[in-house]
């Protein structure tokens, strides 16, 4: 018997050997069901059922053995099918990670290929955006994991938030800049110079703008851009001060560019965030892996 025929046999037993009831349950004509039983018994030379007046009334010893194994076989087949469907579903799983451009370059360029190797059935989609937008996407449930520059505005009771990196925002200047000899730059000293940093949707812009407004209400950030290399090049041979995270320095090829820390520096904190209602194990595993790369 194949798996379908085994289910027919089980249905007959479960319907108290009533062929009419069993045939209705399995959507097969009674004559076809009766023919199946007769053909099997003749082919295998086994009597499955006890009969009385041409009616089925019970199982023979052989029938009891087959019934016992049939239950296990059908159960295992159903479990196998469910697992296969789940595996197919997992193979189509997409995990979306929101990452600011700078963090994507520094950390994720080498990390994503390793994730793909470790989780071959998962498709990773990176959403490149600013920290504020990433927070909004997390709140709306449109991404699974967000890498956010602090401070965040997410609620602790709704989101996992782990500080994975902490450093400073520093002042990048040309080596001939008037402030190049300073050990640390006083904030009041920068007011006489043009200032450059990331665009206004970036958290560093917001922190820097808030800081300089406390020093001089009319002072403006002069140059903004998304590209850190452009912002660095603005300082070459000029007195422009570009404020960027300290970790940028490792990627700067120009020896003429230096950086200076400020007194009471602005913090550059990176948080890995995920909604607490995300119960899929794969997402938790990937989130935990992300925590280890910083």
């Amino acid at each position: 018997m194949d798996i379908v025929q085994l289910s027919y046999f089980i249905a007959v037993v479960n319907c108290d050997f009533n062929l009419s009831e069993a045939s209705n349950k399995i959507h097969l004509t009674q004559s076809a069901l009766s023919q199946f039983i007769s053909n099997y018994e003749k082919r295998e030379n086994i009597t499955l059922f006890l009969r009385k007046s041409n009616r089925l009334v019970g199982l023979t010893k052989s029938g009891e053995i087959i019934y016992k194994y049939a239950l296990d076989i059908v159960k295992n087949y159903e479990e196998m099918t469910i697992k296969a469907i789940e595996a197919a579903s997992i193979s189509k799983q997409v995990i979306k990670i929101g990452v600011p451009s700078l963090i994507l370059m520094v950390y994720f360029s080498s990390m994503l290929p390793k994730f793909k190797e470790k989780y071959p059935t998962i498709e990773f989609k990176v959403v490149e955006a600013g920290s504020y937008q990433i927070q909004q996407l997390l709140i709306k449930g449109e991404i699974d994991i967000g890498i956010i520059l602090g401070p965040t505005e997410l609620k602790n009771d709704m989101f996992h938030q782990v500080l994975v990196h902490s450093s400073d925002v520093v002042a990048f200047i040309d080596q001939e800049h008037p402030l190049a000899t300073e050990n640390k730059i006083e904030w009041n000293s920068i007011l006489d110079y043009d200032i450059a940093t990331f665009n206004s949707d970036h958290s560093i812009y917001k922190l820097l703008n808030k800081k300089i407004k406390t020093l001089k209400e009319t002072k403006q950030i002069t140059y903004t851009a998304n590209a850190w290399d452009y912002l660095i090049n603005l300082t070459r041979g000029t007195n422009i001060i570009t404020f960027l995270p300290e970790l940028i320095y490792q990627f700067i090829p120009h020896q003429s560019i230096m950086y200076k820390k400020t007194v009471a520096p602005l913090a550059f904190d990176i948080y890995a965030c995920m909604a607490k209602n995300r119960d899929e194990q794969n997402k938790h595993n990937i989130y935990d892996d992300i925590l280890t790369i910083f």
Side-chain angles (χ1 to χ4, degrees):
M1 282 185 271
D2 60 27
I3 195 70
V4 175
Q5 293 169 335
L6 285 173
S7 66
Y8 292 168
F9 174 66
I10 292 171
V12 172
V13 177
N14 290 347
C15 290
D16 294 325
F17 310 103
N18 187 319
L19 290 181
S20 177
E21 183 180 341
S23 63
N24 288 332
K25 185 175 182 179
I26 61 178
H27 307 291
L28 189 70
T29 65
Q30 183 173 336
S31 60
L33 181 57
S34 179
Q35 188 65 46
F36 151 68
I37 294 171
S38 177
N39 289 343
Y40 179 81
E41 289 181 324
K42 289 179 181 178
R43 184 175 66 252
E44 302 298 334
N45 195 27
I46 295 174
T47 301
L48 297 175
F49 297 98
L50 299 172
R51 291 170 172 83
K52 185 176 182 179
S53 301
N54 291 326
R55 296 175 64 88
L56 306 183
V57 295
L59 288 173
T60 63
K61 289 293 185 181
S62 296
E64 289 176 354
I65 292 172
I66 291 178
Y67 179 69
K68 176 184 176 182
Y69 280 95
L71 289 175
D72 290 337
I73 291 170
V74 171
K75 178 183 177 182
N76 289 336
Y77 178 83
E78 291 173 348
E79 290 179 355
M80 176 189 70
T81 303
I82 291 172
K83 294 293 184 182
I85 292 172
E86 289 177 350
S89 176
I90 291 174
S91 68
K92 299 175 184 176
Q93 185 177 15
V94 175
I95 291 184
K96 296 181 180 180
I97 305 175
V99 189
S101 301
L102 177 61
I103 309 305
L104 183 64
M105 177 193 70
V106 175
Y107 292 105
F108 278 70
S109 58
S110 60
M111 179 275 297
L112 284 175
K114 295 177 182 177
F115 275 17
K116 186 62 179 174
E117 182 178 352
K118 185 173 182 179
Y119 303 98
T121 61
I122 295 176
E123 179 183 354
F124 292 94
K125 287 192 175 181
V126 173
V127 178
E128 190 175 351
S131 288
Y132 176 78
Q133 185 179 356
I134 291 172
Q135 290 185 74
Q136 297 307 306
L137 293 173
L138 271 174
I139 292 170
K140 295 176 183 177
E142 295 180 10
I143 59 175
D144 302 296
I145 298 169
I147 308 302
I148 298 172
L149 304 181
T152 77
E153 299 175 1
L154 300 173
K155 296 181 179 180
N156 287 324
D157 60 337
M158 297 178 64
F159 292 90
H160 299 287
Q161 301 182 69
V162 178
L163 178 64
V164 292
H165 172 89
S166 184
S167 59
D168 296 330
V169 176
V170 298
F172 287 88
I173 57 176
D174 187 86
Q175 63 181 0
E176 300 298 328
H177 194 283
L179 298 177
T181 58
E182 299 291 328
N183 183 30
K184 287 187 177 181
I185 297 177
E186 295 283 349
W187 281 103
N188 284 326
S189 301
I190 74 169
L191 298 179
D192 295 329
Y193 304 98
D194 288 335
I195 298 173
T197 193
F198 288 124
N199 283 338
S200 59
D201 61 345
H202 200 286
S203 60
I204 289 180
Y205 176 96
K206 293 178 173 62
L207 291 172
L208 180 60
N209 190 55
K210 181 179 179 180
K211 180 66 177 181
I212 63 177
K213 291 300 183 184
T214 63
L215 302 171
K216 186 177 181 180
E217 182 66 30
T218 58
K219 181 66 176 178
Q220 301 289 329
I221 295 174
T222 314
Y223 303 99
T224 61
N226 279 328
W228 65 266
D229 49 348
Y230 165 77
L231 293 168
I232 289 294
N233 282 331
L234 287 176
T235 67
R236 296 182 65 191
T238 73
N239 287 338
I240 296 172
I241 302 176
T242 291
F243 283 90
L244 294 173
E246 183 179 354
L247 58 81
I248 287 289
Y249 188 70
Q250 62 184 301
F251 300 101
I252 298 176
H254 309 298
Q255 295 181 353
S256 62
I257 305 299
M258 62 170 57
Y259 74 85
K260 294 288 182 178
K261 289 182 177 288
T262 60
V263 176
L266 301 176
F268 180 72
D269 295 335
I270 303 174
Y271 291 84
C273 306
M274 182 177 71
K276 289 186 176 180
N277 62 358
R278 295 285 182 182
D279 55 0
E280 299 95 330
Q281 188 59 49
N282 276 333
K283 292 177 182 177
H284 280 278
N285 291 341
I286 292 167
Y287 180 72
D288 290 341
D289 284 344
I290 287 175
L291 300 183
T292 67
I293 70 172
F294 288 89

